[in-house]
Amino acid sequence: QVRLVESGGALVQPGGSLRLSCAASGIFFSLYRMGWYRQAPGKQRELVATITSGGTIMYTDSVKGRFTISRDNDKSAVYLQMNNLKPEDTAVYYCNTQPPKDDWGQGTQVTVSS
């Protein structure tokens, strides 16, 4: 059974930065493309960024140039560096495989507000 634990969310002012972390267990991590997802209030969950085991990366257009996804296969961890945060980035952020497995973590809340 996969277990995903996200951390690093916080309240931050517009223009600020955060680094999210996700620890995965219960899967052969290095085999999977991993993704960061987010769900804003009243909206559907959306895919923000993905990274393959070999390091191929994709971002949704709204975060290109601001967010950086990375992974450490030895630690079964995936990270999301978020810079120049905007109020529209406010959401609960989740990690999962891509495509996602049925099991989701609790997510980590990111709030961008002055």
Side-chain angles (χ1 to χ4, degrees):
Q1 182 179 0
V2 62
R3 184 167 184 254
L4 302 159
V5 180
E6 303 90 350
S7 61
L11 170 63
V12 63
Q13 292 187 342
S17 298
L18 284 174
R19 185 176 188 247
L20 305 184
S21 299
C22 169
S25 60
I27 59 171
F28 198 173
F29 182 82
S30 63
L31 293 182
Y32 288 91
R33 178 169 55 196
M34 295 299 297
W36 279 99
Y37 303 76
R38 67 185 179 186
Q39 187 166 21
K43 295 187 177 181
Q44 289 189 331
R45 189 174 291 162
E46 66 168 337
L47 180 63
V48 173
T50 64
I51 183 168
T52 67
S53 182
T56 300
I57 289 171
M58 294 185 67
Y59 299 101
T60 192
D61 285 346
S62 62
V63 308
K64 285 180 180 177
R66 301 188 298 120
F67 289 12
T68 303
I69 188 172
S70 61
R71 65 190 290 163
D72 185 333
N73 288 335
D74 291 337
K75 295 182 179 179
S76 296
V78 61
Y79 309 98
L80 188 67
Q81 176 67 42
M82 305 187 295
N83 298 329
N84 190 22
L85 282 159
K86 303 177 180 181
E88 52 264 41
D89 296 319
T90 295
V92 180
Y93 284 72
Y94 303 87
C95 70
N96 207 324
T97 58
Q98 203 282 315
K101 294 189 176 296
D102 292 339
D103 298 307
W104 292 85
Q106 82 288 349
T108 188
Q109 176 71 49
V110 172
T111 302
V112 185
S113 176
S114 55

